[in-house]
C-alpha cells in the first residue's frame, strides 16, 4: 500500500511539501495543475516542474487528482471531441512524468457538495457537513456564494469560478439529460481515453459522486455498487478503474463499503482509495469526523484497512478530509494536523495487521518443524 497526501501547490495551500515529508511513512503527493482551465491540455513543462518540486522534497508524483472532465463531454455536445483530444494529450504528458493514476469524476456542474464548511463539533474542532434540508431549500447561486465566502481564501476543487460563472446556462443544458444519457456520455469518453491510458500504463480511477444522490435535480451515476459494476463493464480494461472513497459512498447507509471494496479489489479495479470517516444522522444529514472509528464515526475504518490488507492492496491511498484543529487556518477539509493524525491511525492499523500476519506465518512454520 502506497501512502500519499493531497497537495494544492505552493501558491494555494497552507500546507507545504516540507510539512508533508515529515509525516512518517509518506511515499508521495497527490497533485494537480489547478490553474489550467478545465478542458485545456496540461503542458508537459508545467507537469515536469511540479514533479521536480515534489521529488526535491523526497516524494513521488504518481497520482493526479483531478484532471477534470469538461462539461461538454458530460453533456455529449459535438464540441466534446476537442476536449477529449485535449484530455488524451494530457494523459500522454502525465505519463512522461511517471504518473500512474488519474482520479477524475463525472458529476454534472458541481463536484462535492456541503451546506457547511466549518460546523463546530463538541470538542471545538470544525468539519465539513451536509444538511439535506438546507441543500434542498437553497438556490444554487446562493450556495456557490456561501462556499466561496467560507473557503478561508483558498480555491475549492470542483467549485472553480470560471466554470460556475455560467451556472444558469449549464442548468438549462442539463434540463433534459437523464442518467442513461450520462452513462452513454461516460461510455463514449472512456472508449476514447482508455486506449490511450493503456498505452501509457495509466489507470483512470473515477471518483464516486459526493454525496451519492442527486443534488439540485441533476443526474448522477456513480452512487452505488451497481453503478460501479456497470462502469467497470463499460470498458473491460485494468485501466478503467475506480477511486473507492469511504466517505462519499458511505454517506448512504445502503452502501456496504466493505462489500464494495472487497468486490472491486478482487477484480483488481481499485488503484486509488480515499479513507475518511463520517457521522450519519437519522434524518440522512452527515458530518465529517476524525478518522478514528471508535469516537464519532459511523464507518469502521479498522475493517476498511483490514479489507485492503486481506487483498494485499498495492495501490495508492490517502487520508481524506480532516477536521480543522488546534487553531489551524487552512482550506476546509485539507489542513495538515488532522489529516496527519488520520495517516498515523491508518498506518497503525496496517502495521498491526502486518505484524500479526508475520507472527502467524512464523508460528505456522514452527508447527511444521515440530511435526
Amino acid at each position: 500500500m502506497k501512502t500519499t497526501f493531497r497537495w494544492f501547490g505552493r501558491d494555494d495551500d497552507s500546507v507545504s511539501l516540507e510539512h508533508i515529508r515529515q509525516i512518517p511513512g509518506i511515499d508521495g503527493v497527490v497533485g494537480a495543475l489547478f490553474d489550467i482551465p478545465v478542458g485545456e491540455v496540461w503542458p508537459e513543462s508545467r507537469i515536469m516542474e511540479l514533479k521536480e518540486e515534489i521529488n526535491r522534497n523526497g516524494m513521488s508524483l504518481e497520482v493526479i487528482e483531478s484532471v477534470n472532465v469538461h462539461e461538454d463531454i458530460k453533456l455529449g455536445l459535438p464540441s466534446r471531441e476537442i476536449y477529449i483530444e485535449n484530455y488524451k494529450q494530457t494523459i500522454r504528458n502525465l505519463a512522461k512524468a511517471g504518473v500512474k493514476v488519474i482520479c477524475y469524476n463525472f458529476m454534472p456542474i458541481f463536484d462535492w457538495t456541503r451546506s457547511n464548511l466549518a460546523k463546530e463539533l463538541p470538542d471545538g474542532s470544525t468539519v465539513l457537513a451536509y444538511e439535506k434540508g438546507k441543500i434542498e431549500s437553497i438556490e444554487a447561486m446562493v450556495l456557490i456564494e456561501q462556499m466561496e465566502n467560507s473557503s478561508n481564501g483558498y480555491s475549492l476543487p470542483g467549485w472553480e469560478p470560471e466554470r460556475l460563472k455560467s451556472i444558469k446556462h449549464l442548468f438549462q443544458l442539463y434540463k433534459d439529460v437523464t442518467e442513461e444519457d450520462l452513462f452513454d456520455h461516460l461510455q463514449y469518453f472512456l472508449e476514447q481515453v482508455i486506449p490511450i491510458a493503456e498505452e501509457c500504463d495509466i489507470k483512470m480511477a473515477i471518483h464516486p459522486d459526493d454525496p451519492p444522490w442527486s443534488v439540485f435535480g441533476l443526474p448522477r451515476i456513480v452512487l452505488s455498487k451497481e453503478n460501479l459494476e456497470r462502469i467497470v463493464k463499460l470498458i473491460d480494461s485494468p485501466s478503467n478503474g475506480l477511486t473507492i472513497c469511504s466517505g462519499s459512498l458511505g454517506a448512504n447507509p445502503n452502501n456496504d463499503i466493505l462489500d464494495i471494496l472487497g468486490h472491486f479489489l478482487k477484480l483488481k479495479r481499485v488503484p486509488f482509495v480515499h479513507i475518511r470517516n463520517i457521522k450519519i444522522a437519522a434524518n440522512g444529514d452527515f458530518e465529517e469526523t476524525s478518522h478514528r472509528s471508535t469516537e464519532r464515526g459511523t464507518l469502521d475504518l479498522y475493517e476498511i484497512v483490514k479489507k485492503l490488507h486481506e487483498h494485499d492492496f498495492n495501490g495508492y491511498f490517502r487520508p481524506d478530509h480532516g477536521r480543522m484543529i488546534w487553531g489551524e487556518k487552512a482550506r476546509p477539509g485539507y489542513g495538515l494536523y488532522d489529516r496527519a493524525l488520520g495517516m498515523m491511525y491508518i498506518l497503525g492499523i496496517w502495521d498491526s495487521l502486518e505484524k500479526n500476519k508475520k507472527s502467524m506465518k512464523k508460528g505456522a512454520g514452527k508447527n511444521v518443524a515440530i511435526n
Side-chain angles (χ1 to χ4, degrees):
M1 185 168 71
K2 299 170 186 174
T3 58
T4 63
F5 206 81
R6 195 174 190 188
W7 186 59
F8 293 87
R10 190 165 296 279
D11 297 328
D12 193 28
D13 203 322
S14 62
V15 182
S16 69
L17 291 174
E18 291 78 10
H19 290 150
I20 296 172
R21 68 182 293 184
Q22 294 175 26
I23 302 171
I26 282 288
D27 295 316
V29 168
V30 176
L33 298 179
F34 295 98
D35 61 319
I36 305 295
V38 176
E40 291 191 10
V41 175
W42 288 19
E44 184 180 342
S45 59
R46 290 286 313 284
I47 296 169
M48 291 300 181
E49 287 174 8
L50 177 63
K51 176 187 177 179
E52 289 165 7
E53 183 176 13
I54 292 169
N55 288 169
R56 283 196 301 271
N57 282 274
M59 296 172 288
S60 65
L61 176 67
E62 297 183 355
V63 182
I64 291 295
E65 184 182 345
S66 300
V67 181
N68 287 325
V69 178
H70 196 277
E71 295 297 332
D72 289 13
I73 297 174
K74 300 174 194 174
L75 286 161
L77 301 179
S79 51
R80 66 182 171 180
E81 303 298 340
I82 298 169
Y83 298 114
I84 288 175
E85 288 305 313
N86 288 351
Y87 208 104
K88 291 178 183 178
Q89 189 57 49
T90 294
I91 292 174
R92 295 186 185 102
N93 291 348
L94 288 169
K96 293 175 184 176
V99 169
K100 298 299 181 185
V101 176
I102 296 174
C103 176
Y104 70 103
N105 73 72
F106 219 72
M107 287 179 267
I109 304 181
F110 299 103
D111 202 310
W112 53 278
T113 305
R114 300 290 187 273
S115 58
N116 192 337
L117 301 186
K119 180 180 179 180
E120 186 168 343
L121 299 184
D123 63 6
S125 63
T126 61
V127 297
L128 305 177
Y130 184 97
E131 300 146 295
K132 284 188 173 183
K134 287 187 178 181
I135 296 295
E136 290 169 358
S137 63
I138 197 171
E139 297 221 357
M141 286 301 296
V142 176
L143 180 62
I144 292 169
E145 184 176 334
Q146 288 183 1
M147 295 281 277
E148 186 174 354
N149 291 339
S150 304
S151 68
N152 294 336
Y154 296 98
S155 65
L156 296 175
W159 293 78
E160 294 82 4
E162 73 275 3
R163 184 160 62 93
L164 296 177
K165 64 184 178 183
S166 56
I167 188 81
K168 291 182 180 178
H169 178 59
L170 284 173
F171 266 100
Q172 189 65 28
L173 290 174
Y174 274 107
K175 185 176 65 171
D176 297 320
V177 176
T178 66
E179 290 185 355
E180 283 303 311
D181 292 331
L182 201 57
F183 266 117
D184 288 344
H185 301 161
L186 174 60
Q187 180 169 2
Y188 185 87
F189 170 69
L190 292 175
E191 286 173 346
Q192 303 302 309
V193 303
I194 292 300
I196 306 303
E198 290 174 337
E199 292 171 12
C200 295
D201 191 27
I202 279 180
K203 290 181 171 61
M204 300 292 294
I206 193 168
H207 189 285
D209 298 337
D210 184 11
W213 51 75
S214 176
V215 177
F216 297 116
L218 294 165
R220 285 190 159 184
I221 59 171
V222 197
L223 311 174
S224 63
K225 181 181 180 180
E226 291 72 26
N227 288 164
L228 296 174
E229 188 78 52
R230 182 173 178 179
I231 289 167
V232 298
K233 288 181 177 177
L234 290 176
I235 306 293
D236 187 12
S237 166
S239 286
N240 180 24
L242 309 171
T243 297
I244 298 296
C245 177
S246 63
S248 295
L249 289 167
N252 183 346
N254 293 323
N255 284 332
D256 185 334
I257 291 298
L258 295 178
D259 174 62
I260 291 171
L261 184 58
H263 177 73
F264 292 105
L265 284 170
K266 187 176 181 180
L267 295 178
K268 300 189 183 302
R269 301 297 276 272
V270 185
F272 193 28
V273 177
H274 291 178
I275 301 179
R276 63 179 164 92
N277 215 334
I278 55 173
K279 179 67 174 179
I280 305 174
N283 66 353
D285 292 353
F286 66 86
E287 61 192 31
E288 301 187 358
T289 70
S290 76
H291 290 75
R292 190 163 186 251
S293 302
T294 56
E295 291 190 347
R296 293 175 53 84
T298 297
L299 306 180
D300 191 334
L301 263 61
Y302 171 82
E303 292 296 336
I304 290 171
V305 177
K306 183 180 176 184
K307 186 67 66 175
L308 293 169
H309 191 264
E310 288 172 352
H311 286 268
D312 294 320
F313 180 62
N314 63 355
Y316 303 84
F317 93 91
R318 68 171 178 85
D320 207 356
H321 309 158
R323 302 167 299 153
M324 209 60 66
I325 62 175
W326 302 336
E328 186 176 19
K329 301 296 182 184
R331 175 182 281 100
Y334 285 101
L336 170 65
Y337 305 143
D338 202 44
R339 285 190 297 154
L341 290 176
M343 177 69 84
M344 290 297 91
Y345 178 61
I346 294 164
L347 289 183
I349 296 171
W350 184 271
D351 290 348
S352 295
L353 293 167
E354 277 287 284
K355 187 171 183 178
N356 289 340
K357 181 179 179 180
K358 290 176 182 177
S359 295
M360 290 177 66
K361 284 183 177 180
K362 187 176 180 181
K366 284 182 179 180
N367 289 337
V368 171
I370 292 171
N371 293 334

